[in-house]
Amino acid sequence: MAAPGENLRINSDRLWDSIMEMAKIGPGIAGGNNRQTVTDEDGEGRHLFKRWCDAAGLEMGVDEMGTMFARREGADPSLPPVYVGSHLDTQPTGGKYDGVLGVLGGLEVVRSLNDLGIKTKHPIVVTNWTNEEGARFAPAMMASGVFAGVLDQADVYEHTDKQGKKFGDELERIGWKGTEKVGDRKIYAFFELHIEQGPILEDEGIDIGVVTHGQGLKWLQVTLTGKEAHTGSTPMPKRRNAGLGMARVIELVHEIAMDYQPDAVGAVGHMEVFPNSRNIIAGRTVFTIDIRSPEKEVLDAMDGRIREGIETICEALDIQYKIEQVGAFDPVTFDAGCVKAIRDAAERLGYTHRNIVSGAGHDACWINRVAPTAMVMCPCVDGLSHNEAEDISKEWASAGADVLFHAVVETAEIVG
Ligand code: HGY
Ligand code: MN
Ligand code: MN
């Protein structure tokens, strides 16, 4: 396939302006975003994205999980398209770039092709995957997981948020439940641009992360049940303290992750205490363990040790426990051909680059199961993400989008 000329670049100002425009929707309280999945703010962001796609002459399809597919026709419409995108939903205290850079970077690819009057043999489809974050409704990468056939659509429709609202109902309420059957689309290749969400690229002064692998993940939701009692009058030996149990499990997760350095990670980010009253011993706690590793054997070993540890902790405190796996995917090896297209593009464009393993999960991790897939990463300031202070430079955004542009166009094949 003929490679695009090194002079082919995206419009950096337009990309940056679009990211800033999207950031106005679902503003956070500290400069970031709170545009959680299937909220009104998500719906508003989707409408803005659709207006931009309409203006770029793209044909919009929406599937039964609400994923948006904006198609730029190819010279041969019968060929499977090259897909490019990410997600527009954010964490409750998220940044402006996590996911958004990948969707709007994909839109910028087709906007630039329009400007340059370039036709590609394969169609190109810009994609916004529903509920990548899994913050409001577990699991993460929900819609791409249903698309890849690893999650059950009827099941995830029933998943509830903290207010007891169901995902399927909320998707319908915001008016973005489409009619396309999920997973019917044939994907020739999928590319995702994403901020690194870690410190490696910035620390090493490198422009582009060529993502060869993604680490595996497990989310274990734990419910501990003790007994509510007075914090003043209940003798210590008689307490069945679910809050103490949670504290010991959190420490256990940290210790086990530290046993598998330098790559394994583990933490508890979601914690709920009931009844959460100053002078009542916690009768129930619900929390989610997040463990990850690039090696499946390590992930499984950590999972087993954590389950054993929870049993020991609960026996000692005379409390009950329930463990539900609410999210999981194995470590991912991305497609060598797609990875090469990204590496060659970075080389051709004169950007410094290095291979990197993705620490975070992405829709690409699931789509890699059904189509050749790879990711491009750009640095982010202090490696910070899932924090409203998340920040990148305009230059980093442009370099990532240029590489995405070349990888997509080369794979879709220029025909004139
Ligand atoms: O959790 C993750 O890795 C992703 O940000 N949803
Ligand atoms: Mn993301
Ligand atoms: Mn994220």
Side-chain angles (χ1 to χ4, degrees):
M1 291 179 252
E6 72 78 38
N7 60 325
L8 270 187
R9 310 272 168 153
I10 55 101
N11 181 323
S12 176
D13 291 339
R14 179 172 56 197
L15 171 61
W16 194 254
D17 293 347
S18 299
I19 292 170
M20 293 306 124
E21 192 64 26
M22 182 58 75
K24 292 174 186 168
I25 297 175
I29 53 174
N33 275 110
N34 179 5
R35 195 172 52 246
Q36 297 181 64
T37 192
V38 295
T39 57
D40 293 335
E41 294 76 12
D42 181 20
E44 205 185 323
R46 290 162 172 266
H47 283 298
L48 175 59
F49 175 57
K50 181 169 184 314
R51 285 198 298 277
W52 283 337
C53 290
D54 293 346
L58 307 183
E59 179 203 347
M60 184 64 74
V62 183
D63 72 12
E64 291 173 346
M65 283 296 291
T67 295
M68 300 169 75
F69 302 100
R71 180 186 174 107
R72 182 178 196 262
E73 200 45 88
D76 182 347
S78 68
L79 291 177
V82 173
Y83 283 67
V84 56
S86 188
H87 62 93
L88 290 174
D89 67 302
T90 75
Q91 287 284 334
T93 53
K96 297 193 277 284
Y97 310 99
D98 174 357
V100 175
L101 176 62
V103 176
L104 301 188
L107 176 61
E108 181 52 38
V109 166
V110 296
R111 282 170 162 173
S112 296
L113 288 171
N114 289 345
D115 290 350
L116 297 162
I118 292 177
K119 204 96 181 96
T120 56
K121 194 172 158 196
H122 292 260
I124 292 172
V125 175
V126 185
T127 309
N128 168 30
W129 297 102
T130 300
N131 190 23
E132 187 282 338
E133 291 293 358
R136 183 184 178 198
F137 298 98
M141 298 102 79
M142 184 191 269
S144 51
V146 174
F147 188 96
V150 291
L151 296 175
D152 177 79
Q153 181 172 314
D155 172 59
V156 299
Y157 273 173
E158 298 301 306
H159 288 198
T160 56
D161 65 6
K162 287 177 189 156
Q163 284 71 41
K165 291 178 182 170
K166 290 182 180 176
F167 167 78
D169 295 345
E170 285 291 277
L171 177 64
E172 196 134 27
R173 182 185 64 80
I174 67 166
W176 281 97
K177 181 177 176 183
T179 52
E180 264 189 38
K181 188 169 172 314
V182 181
D184 274 359
R185 287 173 171 261
K186 293 294 165 267
I187 297 179
Y188 183 62
F190 175 63
F191 291 96
E192 181 170 4
L193 166 61
H194 207 286
I195 61 172
E196 180 198 338
Q197 300 181 295
I200 296 168
L201 295 175
E202 186 188 38
D203 287 352
E204 296 181 7
I206 289 178
D207 303 320
I208 296 293
V210 180
V211 187
T212 55
H213 300 79
Q215 66 176 349
L217 161 152
K218 282 193 183 211
W219 282 359
L220 305 177
Q221 180 169 302
V222 180
T223 303
L224 301 183
T225 308
K227 187 175 175 63
E228 294 175 15
H230 198 298
T231 49
S233 53
T234 309
M236 294 302 276
K238 290 195 175 297
R239 297 179 179 207
R240 297 174 57 214
N241 188 338
L244 178 58
M246 179 171 73
R248 289 184 179 172
V249 172
I250 292 170
E251 175 66 30
L252 172 75
V253 169
H254 179 80
E255 281 168 7
I256 288 174
M258 293 310 288
D259 286 348
Y260 298 94
Q261 291 309 298
D263 298 322
V265 291
V268 172
H270 154 240
M271 297 168 228
E272 295 175 65
V273 178
F274 303 93
N276 205 18
S277 166
R278 290 180 186 79
N279 44 8
I280 299 179
I281 292 165
R284 186 165 63 93
T285 53
V286 182
F287 53 98
T288 304
I289 297 166
D290 179 327
I291 49 174
R292 310 196 191 196
S293 168
E295 296 164 67
K296 181 162 179 6
E297 306 69 44
V298 169
L299 202 52
D300 293 343
M302 290 203 286
D303 182 310
R305 287 182 58 190
I306 286 169
R307 291 171 187 271
E308 283 166 17
I310 289 173
E311 186 175 1
T312 307
I313 288 166
C314 291
E315 261 168 37
L317 295 176
D318 186 20
I319 56 180
Q320 271 71 49
Y321 68 90
K322 181 175 75 173
I323 302 171
E324 299 159 88
Q325 182 168 287
V326 294
F329 57 85
D330 290 345
V332 168
T333 301
F334 288 114
D335 176 78
C338 291
V339 170
K340 183 177 182 308
I342 287 167
R343 187 178 297 111
D344 291 351
E347 199 64 37
R348 182 184 315 130
L349 290 159
Y351 292 126
T352 54
H353 57 88
R354 59 157 277 172
N355 290 352
I356 195 166
V357 174
S358 175
H362 301 284
D363 295 307
C365 296
W366 280 141
I367 301 308
N368 187 59
R369 295 167 75 103
V370 294
T373 296
M375 294 186 72
V376 198
M377 280 189 173
C378 77
C380 53
V381 175
D382 299 335
L384 189 63
S385 181
H386 286 196
N387 182 309
E388 291 205 44
E390 177 186 280
D391 197 11
I392 66 173
S393 73
K394 187 174 173 180
E395 292 67 31
W396 287 343
S398 305
D402 279 338
V403 169
L404 183 74
F405 183 26
H406 277 232
V408 168
V409 169
E410 182 177 5
T411 306
E413 296 179 49
I414 294 175
V415 291

